[in-house]
Amino acid sequence: MTSRTPSCHRRPRSRAAAPSPPVGRHIAPLDGLRGLAVLGVLFFHAGHFSGGFLGVDLFFVLSGFLITGLLLREAQAHNGRIDLLGFWGRRARRLLPALAVMIAGTLLLLWAFGPLSLLRHALDDTPWVLANLTNWHFIADQVGYWQAGDTRVFGHLWSIAVEEQFYLLWPLVIGLAARGQHGGRCVAAVAVTGAALSLIVMMALTNPADTTRVYEGTDTRAFSLLLGALMATAPASRLMDRLGERAAGWWALTLACGIGAYWVTADGQSSPSLFHGGLFLHAVAAALLIACLVRAPHTPLGQILSTPGLRWFGLISYSLYLWHWPVYLMLSEERLGMAGWARTALIIGVSIAAAAVSKSLVEDPIRFRAPWAKGRAGAFALLVTFIALVALWALIPEPRTGVGTVDVTRLASGAPTEPGACPPGGAL
């Protein structure tokens, strides 16, 4: 007879010590968190919330966490192997259909009704959007994020490009690092090292006169994605397991209040501390908040974030992000003849309607109910879609130089000379 206490007589594990829910399980509060992020972006671009641009940073952290969790589970189930083509195919079905429809719809609407200056810039930017290099295109062309972002109808797609570049490279890293007995530790070490290097590069390259390079660069924004990825690794999960559910709930509430306070006080280009550690600390807080919500999804904050309204915004957040900026620029104050909260209500309403249609008619059917969107048929459909977008781009005539670009009355009054331009603030 062994001296160990029989399992039936062991002291039961307390509720506070219960393990974290598996990352693969759907965590409802994360939908609500995504909903808050996209609402912050909407009101920032409408000129009513100076710190709402940090919603994009929250998106990055969430993406890093969720994608890394998926990849690590697959690696664990298949002895460290990851089906890269399968992963990229799933990402393509998730992201590209709605993006393609938005690109085509925006180009056609601009061609038919939009200001010529917006159409000219859109035609110039489209090849880079299709190549998932929008952020580097704007950096190379010195399109100032805070100064000139409201002249580019695809200006908000810089962040989509950053995420898609991450989806291309990060699975390769995990495929190498996750092999072996200590794969989780290796992935965590790579994430920590990469995040630290990304912060160093941001601080080294920051130019106070124009922070576009560090704000939109994949290398300088990688720490947000990598910090989210870190919280999906086994070492981080074990640390969170030591935190009781009640304590995790209180920490989540504290972190949420801190993040909220930072959103209220942050002011973009006018907050140089953002690029000397502020964005990094925000990402750290967001990553810890996500981990606490996963550990304690049923605490008061988790229940608030799980309300149907916030979750619904979270579920349509991708299409809402895609459509809101073109809507904002095309429905300018000049075109609508209204400003302030009246215009805000209208453009947000139109954006939500476009997102809901995209979600129900494009995103969900292709993602969940279209057998042809998988395998070789899916790859062929992707190729056909790409060719169709290139053909549309080539067929739309580029506006003649000088036509519709300068309004003399606006120039004399000192107002922005781009027709349809919105107040300064840039595009996320």
Side-chain angles (χ1 to χ4, degrees):
M1 177 179 290
T2 177
S3 61
R4 295 178 60 188
T5 305
S7 59
C8 59
H9 296 297
R10 291 176 191 162
R11 184 179 179 179
R13 179 177 289 184
S14 67
R15 178 179 177 84
S20 300
V23 177
R25 198 186 76 182
H26 190 84
I27 308 297
L30 299 188
D31 290 333
L33 201 60
R34 191 182 289 109
L36 284 179
V38 76
L39 288 173
V41 172
L42 290 180
F43 284 103
F44 168 74
H45 278 158
H48 300 296
F49 189 19
S50 63
F53 66 93
L54 290 166
V56 168
D57 199 51
L58 185 52
F59 278 131
F60 285 164
V61 180
L62 277 165
S63 295
F65 174 79
L66 295 171
I67 291 303
T68 303
L70 290 172
L71 292 170
L72 288 178
R73 284 196 308 280
E74 181 177 350
Q76 184 179 13
H78 298 91
N79 297 319
R81 294 191 301 272
I82 294 175
D83 180 4
L84 293 174
L85 292 180
F87 170 80
W88 289 327
R90 291 189 297 272
R91 286 291 88 196
R93 288 195 299 275
R94 171 70 180 91
L95 300 175
L96 298 186
L99 178 62
V101 170
M102 187 278 294
I103 293 170
T106 298
L107 288 176
L108 290 172
L109 287 171
L110 285 175
W111 183 27
F113 308 109
L116 297 181
S117 60
L118 287 182
L119 176 60
R120 180 180 298 107
H121 286 314
L123 292 173
D124 181 53
D125 297 339
T126 296
W128 301 97
V129 173
L130 297 178
N132 293 327
L133 294 171
T134 315
N135 59 325
W136 293 111
H137 164 59
F138 291 148
I139 290 170
D141 278 11
Q142 297 182 336
V143 179
Y145 171 79
W146 308 100
Q147 296 83 12
D150 53 9
T151 66
R152 321 298 277 242
V153 76
F154 294 140
H156 62 314
L157 297 183
W158 73 268
S159 62
I160 303 298
V162 169
E163 291 206 22
E164 290 179 337
Q165 291 159 30
F166 174 77
Y167 297 151
L168 179 64
L169 298 175
W170 186 238
L172 299 174
V173 175
I174 292 184
L176 295 174
R179 297 180 180 181
Q181 184 178 0
H182 303 293
R185 293 182 183 178
C186 290
V187 173
V190 171
V192 169
T193 303
L197 291 175
S198 176
L199 172 63
I200 292 171
V201 174
M202 170 176 275
M203 295 176 68
L205 296 181
T206 294
N207 175 8
D210 183 8
T211 55
T212 301
R213 167 61 183 88
V214 294
Y215 190 76
E216 295 187 352
T218 307
D219 52 352
T220 49
R221 298 308 300 273
F223 58 73
S224 297
L225 291 151
L226 292 173
L227 288 170
L230 172 64
M231 301 313 297
T233 63
S237 296
R238 285 194 292 267
L239 285 175
M240 292 305 300
D241 284 343
R242 298 179 182 178
L243 192 64
E245 185 173 357
R246 184 175 181 180
W250 281 111
W251 274 110
L253 185 59
T254 302
L255 288 164
C257 290
I259 291 171
Y262 195 52
W263 283 30
V264 171
T265 57
D267 193 19
Q269 180 80 353
S270 301
S271 301
S273 62
L274 278 170
F275 310 100
H276 290 88
L279 280 172
F280 186 87
L281 292 176
H282 176 267
V284 169
L288 290 172
L289 173 60
I290 291 167
C292 288
L293 289 171
V294 171
R295 180 69 182 82
H298 303 299
T299 51
L301 178 63
Q303 292 176 350
I304 292 172
L305 292 173
S306 299
T307 55
L310 280 179
R311 288 193 65 195
W312 186 77
F313 276 108
L315 293 173
I316 69 165
S317 60
Y318 178 59
S319 282
L320 185 52
Y321 185 82
L322 290 180
W323 277 103
H324 85 281
W325 189 240
V327 168
Y328 280 25
L329 292 191
M330 286 187 279
L331 299 182
S332 63
E333 293 182 3
E334 291 81 1
R335 171 156 294 190
L336 293 176
M338 65 175 68
W341 282 101
R343 174 178 175 267
T344 297
L346 177 61
I347 59 179
I348 288 181
V350 172
S351 300
I352 292 173
V357 171
S358 175
K359 172 75 171 171
S360 60
L361 299 184
V362 180
E363 279 190 64
D364 287 351
I366 294 178
R367 186 183 180 190
F368 300 118
R369 300 187 294 275
W372 56 264
K374 301 178 181 179
R376 293 182 179 179
F380 179 74
L382 177 63
L383 177 62
V384 170
T385 301
F386 181 82
I387 293 173
L389 288 174
V390 172
L392 175 63
W393 168 76
L395 289 172
I396 294 178
E398 185 172 354
R400 290 176 295 162
T401 301
V403 176
T405 58
V406 177
D407 185 329
V408 176
T409 60
R410 291 173 61 80
L411 183 62
S413 66
T417 57
E418 292 281 356
C422 293
L428 289 172

